[in-house]
């Protein structure tokens, strides 16, 4: 038939719509019931736009020659008029219809009977038509037949809406994953590339700090060393975050350690020197061997203690406790001060999250996230509690 266009529209949207109809499992049964109830030989679900008429699903018992994806010239169809009016068109016999007797559609396609009902999505978007045709007359104006078409068209519209919303959600999730992956790859590369210039800064700072004959320059060198150390910690946090998110989690190297307490105490002493005006009440009672990644547990202690010193009340001591209890390392760090609101407690371990009260120029908001990943990698748990009376306490429990 010369008016049938066999080429499938190359547009992604049209292909998606055809696929969406194909995924509605009830459509073939609907088309079969339509043909059985009306006695008509051709039924279809068509996608009708202001420019195209495309078959999405077809039941062809009369050799009309149209298959899913096939197209008709839009203005040769009555669906064009149904779309414009947003009304069903029902014709038992074209030869007896005063309105459509001389219409070009039955002449072009050799039709006697015709029914087409709009498929409209719940949000009001016009999708297309559920239609049936035949070369013989048919009693399609029967209210029961019309009602059947309307019910089927509504069901198809609701299914298409559900499919569309699901596709939109999946597409958005895919874009977000792709964006997150690119961002984390960028962070990893950036962190790696920053190490070389930072090493040069650190070396320069070390040389300046040794200029004891020139106190001003030596003091400048010490300040630069502290800044470089802080930058190095930030880069380490970024690299740990990127590795954890892009891989299977934070990697640890487990070894048998006999002096875990000594190593943790060294971290506390280092931070006490960095915060000479603060009081740290430290009690570490650990004995016996422990299988762990000592560098990561030192990082855990460093992050938790630095966080407490930064956000805790400057007039109250920070309390550090480390003991072995039932085969578990129980490490806690507590500070006094403004408590964390209950609704924000679940967020403290999220990457990049910082409280609104944080001073500008602080960390990246990765420290507590990395702490949690270190504890998880050791098979343990990290919890936080916060109140006005007891302050804020982070407690890690790690099997040894």
């Amino acid at each position: 038939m010369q008016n049938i266009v066999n080429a499938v529209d190359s547009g992604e949207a049209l292909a998606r719509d055809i696929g969406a109809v194909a995924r509605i499992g009830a459509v073939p049964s609907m088309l079969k019931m339509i043909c059985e109830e009306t006695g008509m030989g051709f039924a279809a679900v068509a996608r009708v736009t202001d420019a195209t008429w495309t078959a999405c699903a077809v039941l062809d018992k009369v050799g009309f020659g149209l298959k899913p994806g096939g197209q008709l010239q839009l203005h040769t169809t009555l669906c064009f008029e149904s779309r414009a009016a947003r009304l069903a068109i029902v014709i038992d016999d074209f030869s007896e219809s005063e309105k459509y007797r001389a219409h070009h559609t039955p002449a072009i396609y050799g039709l006697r009977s015709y029914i087409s009902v709009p498929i409209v999505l719940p949000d009001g978007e016009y999708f297309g038509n559920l239609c049936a045709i035949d070369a013989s007359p048919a009693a399609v104006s029967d209210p029961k037949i019309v009602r059947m078409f309307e019910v089927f068209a509504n069901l198809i519209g609701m299914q298409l809406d559900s499919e569309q919303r699901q596709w939109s959600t999946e597409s958005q999730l895919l874009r977000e994953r792709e964006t997150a992956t690119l961002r984390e790859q960028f962070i990893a590369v950036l962190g790696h590339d920053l190490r070389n210039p930072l090493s040069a800064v650190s070396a320069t700072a070390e040389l300046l700090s040794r200029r004891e004959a020139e106190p001003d320059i030596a003091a400048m060198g010490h300040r630069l060393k502290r800044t470089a150390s802080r930058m190095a910690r930030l880069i380490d946090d970024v690299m740990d975050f990127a590795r954890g998110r892009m891989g299977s989690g934070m990697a640890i190297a487990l070894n048998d350690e006999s002096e875990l307490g000594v190593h943790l105490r060294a971290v506390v002493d280092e931070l006490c020197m960095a915060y000479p005006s603060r009081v740290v009440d430290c009690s570490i009672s650990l004995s016996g061997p422990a299988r762990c990644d000592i560098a990561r547990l030192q990082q855990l202690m460093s992050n938790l203690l630095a966080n407490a010193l930064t956000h805790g009340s400057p007039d109250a001591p920070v309390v550090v406790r480390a003991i072995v209890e039932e085969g578990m390392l129980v490490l806690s760090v507590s500070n006094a001060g403004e408590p964390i609101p209950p609704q924000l407690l679940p967020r403290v371990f999220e990457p990049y999250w910082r409280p609104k009260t944080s001073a500008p120029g602080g960390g990246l908001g990765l420290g507590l996230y990395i702490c949690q990943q270190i504890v998880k990698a050791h098979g343990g748990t990290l919890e936080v509690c916060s109140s006005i009376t007891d302050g804020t306490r982070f407690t890690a429990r790690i099997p040894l």
Side-chain angles (χ1 to χ4, degrees), residues 196-365:
N196 289 336
L198 184 59
S199 296
V201 172
S202 297
T204 301
E206 181 65 29
L207 290 174
L208 293 175
S209 66
R210 294 181 181 181
R211 302 277 287 272
E212 297 180 359
E214 302 173 87
D216 291 343
I217 293 179
M220 185 184 301
H222 286 297
R223 285 197 300 271
L224 190 58
K225 281 179 65 177
R226 287 194 294 270
T227 299
S229 296
R230 179 172 172 275
M231 290 178 64
R233 287 195 296 271
L234 290 175
I235 292 173
D236 288 341
D237 284 350
V238 167
M239 295 295 289
D240 283 338
F241 170 73
R243 279 192 291 264
R245 293 293 282 257
M246 294 167 59
S248 57
M250 181 168 290
I252 60 172
L254 296 177
N255 293 292
D256 292 325
E257 299 289 342
S258 59
E259 297 185 340
L260 175 59
V262 174
H263 292 298
L264 294 180
R265 182 75 208 202
V267 174
V268 176
D269 292 342
E270 179 182 334
L271 283 168
C272 286
M273 293 178 62
Y275 293 83
S277 64
R278 301 297 303 277
V279 176
V280 177
D281 178 2
C282 178
S283 175
I284 298 177
S285 299
L286 303 176
S287 60
R291 187 162 183 79
C292 60
D293 185 326
I294 189 61
R296 289 299 189 187
L297 291 189
Q298 285 183 307
Q299 185 180 9
L300 169 67
M301 172 68 88
S302 178
N303 283 358
L304 290 178
L305 182 51
N307 185 72
L309 291 168
T310 300
H311 299 289
S313 171
D315 302 325
V318 173
V319 179
V320 177
R321 297 287 183 265
I323 61 172
V324 175
E325 191 175 81
E326 297 180 354
M328 305 276 285
L329 165 64
V330 181
L331 171 63
S332 67
V333 178
S334 308
N335 64 267
E338 192 71 22
I340 301 171
Q343 68 272 19
L344 296 182
L345 282 176
R347 299 197 60 193
V348 299
F349 298 115
E350 292 179 6
Y352 300 120
W353 184 83
R354 298 177 66 203
K356 293 181 179 180
T357 56
S358 295
L364 297 173

Side-chain angles (χ1 to χ4, degrees), residues 31 43-49 53-57 74 77-84 86-89 114-120 126-132 149 153 156:
L31 298 183
V45 175
R47 176 71 168 109
V48 183
T49 70
W53 188 105
T54 307
C56 296
L74 178 62
T77 73
L78 280 172
C79 290
F80 168 72
E81 298 180 18
S82 176
R83 184 180 191 274
R86 290 207 167 204
L87 295 172
I89 296 178
Y114 179 93
I115 180 170
S116 181
V117 174
I119 298 173
V120 181
Y126 197 102
F127 178 84
N129 290 70
L130 176 61
C131 51
F149 269 79
I156 293 170

Side-chain angles (χ1 to χ4, degrees), residues 38-60:
T38 63
M40 303 170 88
F42 180 91
V45 175
R47 176 71 168 109
V48 183
T49 70
D50 57 0
T52 60
W53 188 105
T54 307
C56 296
V58 174
L59 178 58
D60 186 0

